[in-house]
Amino acid sequence: MASEVTAKRLRVNGIVQGVGFRPFVFQLAEKYSLNGEVANTSSGVTIHIQGPDAQVTAFEADLTANAPPLAYIVEISGEPQPIGEFDNFAIVKSKNESEISTLISPDVSVCDDCRAELFAPHDRRYRYPFINCTNCGPRYTIIDDIPYDRPMTSMRHFQMCADCQAEYDDPANRRFHAQPNACAECGPHVALYDSAVNRVACQDSILEAATLLKKGYILAVKGLGGYHLAADAANADAVRRLRDRKMREEKPFAVMAYDSIAIRRFADLDEVEEEILTSIQRPIVLLRKRASADMICPEVAPRNKYFGVMLPYTPLHYILLEQDFTALVMTSANLSEEPIAIDNEEAFKRLGKIADYFLVHNRDIYLRSDDSIVRYTAGSKRFFRRSRGFVPVPVFLRNKLPQILACGAELKNTVCLTKRDKAFLSQHIGDLENAQTYDFFRLTVRHLKRILDIQPEVIACDLHPDYLSTRYAEEQRALPKVRIQHHHAHIVSGMAEHKLDGEVIGLAFDGTGLGTDNAVWGGEILIAETHKFERAGHLGYVAMPGSTAAIKEPWRMAISYLQDAYGPDFVDLGLPVLDSIGNDKLAVISQMINQEFNSPMTSSLGRLFDGVAAICGIRNRVNFEGQAAMELEMLAADTAASGYDCAWERENGFLVPPAPIIRAVVADVQNNVSPAEIGAKFHLTLVQLFSDICDELRREYGLDRVVLSGGCFQNATLLSGMIRSLQARKFDVYSHEQIPTNDGGISLGQAVVAAAVYEERFA
Ligand code: ZN
Ligand code: ZN
Ligand code: FE
């Protein structure tokens, strides 16, 4: 008995263009012998499909279950249609070219099919380092303008040969409309140079590069989103030289290893971490060092429990890593905190004193994109940096917003552009502290506006007048501007990610953000809504002697907290940290605090971490922001039997005075309790105090949703402790999973707040 014939129109919404979706639909229709057509539209693709009922149902099931790896389906809607005049299935041109969607795929790692061809001696692309297909390869970093077609990418300089063109034109081929399609005949090539820009004569540039790495040289290697500096991770001398030349004393270097087997020799890797590591986005994943990790030299990640590890993600990486390295250090090629180098000329100029050799290629990178960094904590993937592989996949929002440009914070800057129900976070731009990074910021704004086709109606920025991102916003005189308090933006970024509306309790813990009272906030308890917030409580204020100098020198915070807890008598406590500072400096800092000279008041939890770390003798100075706090976390035992006995107070809201915590820490230091135990007790104390306050707030406001945001939640002990404790008290807890909890995620919150405020103010 023949089944009923039906016809349907399916609208597929999401990232389904330039990712091999139409050929996939075409092949699926053939598989089930169905007729109809598929076309691109402004929001995705539309499919007309007709044939026997059962076949159509099977087709629909397959459509979601087996979509191509780069496709990101948001939703599929279907409606019945009259049976049409179709005697086959066809890929048709979009009916209105101007309506083409602007969703662009991120750059992703080389796929298994391409990798198999790469190492197949008889394949025409054997060992060709730019092999790619519709399922893999560069996208975001090579696009100059929309629509995403070859002439709009850096592949425009390469004319496809007949073989490549035939693949490109064949809907049944894996390279149908693969814009970066190329081969050794017609595509880009690599070349090896020394630091004086002399071409190194050799048979095979990549093999020669591997040999040089084995000899201990430092190489600049051009990748997907920029240059890496590479060194043999087993060679302590090479890694030390790299640190010296890059002026990076202690910040951990990421490493790249060939596969999971190689990684398991030096790091623990569970199933979920392996899944994240091998995902097509190929982020750097923080993995616990193994006890016997001595084949990787300690200089790679000193005083850290973790290695940042990634797998190869370009064909070039695979050819290089195949040469039997335990791992290669692969760190962003920049000097200190400048943006990563992408251009060949620029690389020679800027990296000439760091790299001994340069492995370059002639496929231009239009937009730099650093490696993304994640850690699996408290049941989820947590971003330290969301960049290559993830950008420009949007965060899908609860409501449609006007077109907004949010300029982000100062450190770990990203910008955010919104369009309808999508928020596009930029790649990691960096710390807006030098001209190069500011140039990159402006370039990124221009570029994103163009490729996303967004003309902002509103501009959002931080309250802080001195951030370069705020100054940029000030310069855009034609646009209405909304200034947003830093911690409000943090909490709303968490609300936006989880599509929350209404009032929530927000715990915003970080290093620095300007408050509405001009103090430096960072240990904040907010009752937040999208358009407004109330400060329900905070960590008690102490002075930051020397202002930003106190961030670089945690010993200053130690003095401030000690003086706050003990008054002038703190000098007699006999603490090792005081001896290490010396009496002269002690007196100067003490006086600065007393005279309120260049000593803004702060409620920052990040500074409390720094102060406690210094009092425990962990370190007096930091080489990068948050280092002392991180080392306190690294040292801390995983659990403590109990926290310190401290209480919150009430005066115009909830106050967590630091003095009782400091006195408890000092008593432990005096009793020779180990920093590991002090660290564990300190974390637990914070968790208990803030959970108790959330209980009080629930009673008063009837709220049981808590949003956690801010850079302090990069700390796994604090994050998982807070989540566990609040969930045990039956709160719904929301933490960041799609965007970073640090200032890299703040632009999303700014955009969403600005939309709500703008609506109230102007609409
Ligand atoms: Zn591929
Ligand atoms: Zn070719
Ligand atoms: Fe922050």
Side-chain angles (χ1 to χ4, degrees), residues 109-115 117 131-137 174-175:
S109 72
V110 55
C111 72
D112 291 346
D113 291 335
C114 285
R115 186 143 67 96
E117 290 171 0
I131 188 170
N132 68 81
C133 71
T134 38
N135 299 327
C136 74
R174 207 172 85 243
R175 298 191 166 95

Side-chain angles (χ1 to χ4, degrees), residues 412-578:
K412 302 185 170 70
N413 179 275
T414 63
V415 297
C416 178
L417 283 150
T418 57
K419 188 178 190 176
R420 293 192 274 272
D421 60 345
K422 297 172 194 75
F424 299 91
L425 253 80
S426 71
Q427 73 276 33
H428 169 78
I429 294 172
D431 297 348
L432 288 178
E433 291 178 324
N434 53 57
Q436 287 93 331
T437 312
Y438 187 48
D439 286 347
F440 179 37
F441 168 94
R442 283 182 300 190
L443 175 80
T444 304
V445 170
R446 271 203 311 276
H447 194 92
L448 278 177
K449 273 161 55 176
R450 187 167 68 235
I451 65 170
L452 298 171
D453 191 22
I454 292 178
Q455 287 81 39
E457 303 159 44
V458 183
I459 194 159
C461 65
D462 197 275
L463 269 189
H464 203 301
D466 299 335
Y467 288 178
L468 285 176
S469 51
T470 306
R471 289 203 206 152
Y472 174 85
E474 299 286 348
E475 283 163 19
Q476 317 306 308
R477 296 248 161 75
L479 295 177
K481 181 168 56 256
V482 185
R483 299 171 124 208
I484 294 141
Q485 200 282 323
H486 188 96
H487 303 93
H488 185 210
H490 266 309
I491 297 303
V492 175
S493 71
M495 293 173 69
E497 198 189 309
H498 294 283
K499 299 191 168 71
L500 304 182
D501 205 8
E503 276 188 333
V504 301
I505 300 172
L507 299 183
F509 297 162
D510 67 357
T512 307
L514 184 63
T516 50
D517 60 356
N518 274 325
V520 179
W521 291 8
E524 309 307 311
I525 307 161
L526 309 182
I527 303 294
E529 282 180 78
T530 306
H531 64 291
K532 67 177 196 313
F533 74 97
E534 177 193 330
R535 193 187 195 196
H538 60 91
L539 201 62
Y541 282 137
V542 298
M544 262 173 93
S547 194
T548 50
I551 300 174
K552 299 200 168 95
E553 302 180 355
W555 62 269
R556 292 172 184 252
M557 289 313 300
I559 294 175
S560 183
Y561 284 112
L562 290 169
Q563 183 158 320
D564 172 66
Y566 295 92
D569 295 342
F570 80 91
V571 290
D572 304 324
L573 288 168
L575 295 171
V577 65
L578 297 175

